[in-house]
Amino acid sequence: VLLCARGQKGKSTLAVSALTEGFDYVSEDYLLLEKKGDSLSASPLYSMMSLSPEMYDELYDSLGKARFIGVGPFKGKYLFDISEYSDQVRWHYPIKACVFPEISPDASEPRVELCGLEEKNRAITSMAHSTLFQMWSNGLKQRQMDQDFLLSVVRMLRGLDFYRIVLTPDIFKNAACLRAFIKSL
């Protein structure tokens, strides 16, 4: 699955906890998407991940092979080298669905829900805004190129089913819920 959402929605924490729980992994934040016919696949750009200081404290005992690099430029996230997890990193990994996390501090159990068309369009719009923010904050300001790029990404994702995963404060329950969902695809 492809995790899509703006910042501070739980993507990194879910991805990192999934990695430490033995999931196959592609990348965090930046990745390569490739469309061939009806198939969409993802490949990594680098072997790095980031966590907020609070989530780092939560996952500290699970991080194992991840090596601290430093503090990143966005919101003071901690950066980690995950090259030691290379046996779990996948290239040209098929994407079957998009999942966008939503943190619910009141939820006692995580759950995954199929999105309707309106919610799917909101998720795609959110992903597009997040992508533009990342591109512009990294100095890429050619607006026509950005628009063409975003349209190609939207076309690639449009054919996928979109799901919302409601996350609880228990990050390990969230990873278990994601695992069960992926197995059901």
Side-chain angles (χ1 to χ4, degrees):
V1 299
L2 181 64
L3 298 174
C4 300
R6 288 184 179 163
Q8 306 298 308
K9 299 293 182 185
K11 292 184 315 289
S12 294
T13 301
L14 185 58
V16 172
S17 61
L19 175 67
T20 63
E21 292 288 314
F23 283 53
D24 289 341
Y25 184 83
V26 174
S27 183
E28 183 200 11
D29 286 337
Y30 299 98
L31 52 83
L32 299 170
L33 291 176
E34 184 177 13
K35 179 105 176 176
K36 288 186 180 175
D38 290 338
S39 300
L40 181 63
S41 65
S43 295
L45 285 176
Y46 51 74
S47 59
M48 190 171 61
M49 66 181 186
S50 62
L51 285 172
S52 69
E54 297 80 21
M55 289 302 103
Y56 168 75
D57 289 343
E58 288 283 323
L59 286 167
Y60 179 81
D61 292 333
S62 303
L63 289 174
K65 301 183 274 185
R67 188 176 54 82
F68 180 77
I69 298 172
V71 177
F74 297 111
K75 296 184 174 93
K77 284 190 164 189
Y78 293 173
L79 301 176
F80 297 88
D81 174 353
I82 59 167
S83 57
E84 293 297 318
Y85 282 96
S86 63
D87 58 326
Q88 290 171 241
V89 175
R90 302 293 179 247
W91 289 79
H92 306 292
Y93 209 65
I95 298 173
K96 296 182 181 178
C98 286
V99 174
F100 69 98
E102 180 178 286
I103 300 168
S104 176
D106 300 328
S108 59
E109 293 296 323
R111 64 186 183 280
V112 178
E113 303 165 343
L114 180 63
C115 294
L117 183 59
E118 186 176 318
E119 200 170 23
K120 177 179 178 174
N121 288 336
R122 269 197 318 265
I124 290 173
T125 300
S126 175
M127 182 274 314
H129 287 160
S130 179
T131 301
L132 276 178
F133 173 76
Q134 291 291 333
M135 291 170 68
W136 291 347
S137 65
N138 288 313
L140 302 174
K141 297 194 186 287
Q142 298 171 352
R143 293 194 189 272
Q144 184 60 46
M145 178 196 76
D146 295 346
Q147 183 178 11
D148 294 343
F149 170 75
L150 281 177
L151 287 173
S152 70
V153 171
V154 168
R155 278 189 220 104
M156 283 191 264
L157 299 179
R158 190 176 304 154
L160 295 172
D161 286 332
F162 274 67
Y163 296 85
R164 178 168 52 113
I165 183 168
V166 178
L167 302 175
T168 70
D170 186 329
I171 56 181
F172 299 104
K173 275 187 179 180
N174 297 336
C177 178
L178 181 62
R179 181 182 300 280
F181 170 71
I182 290 171
K183 285 184 177 185
S184 75
L185 288 176

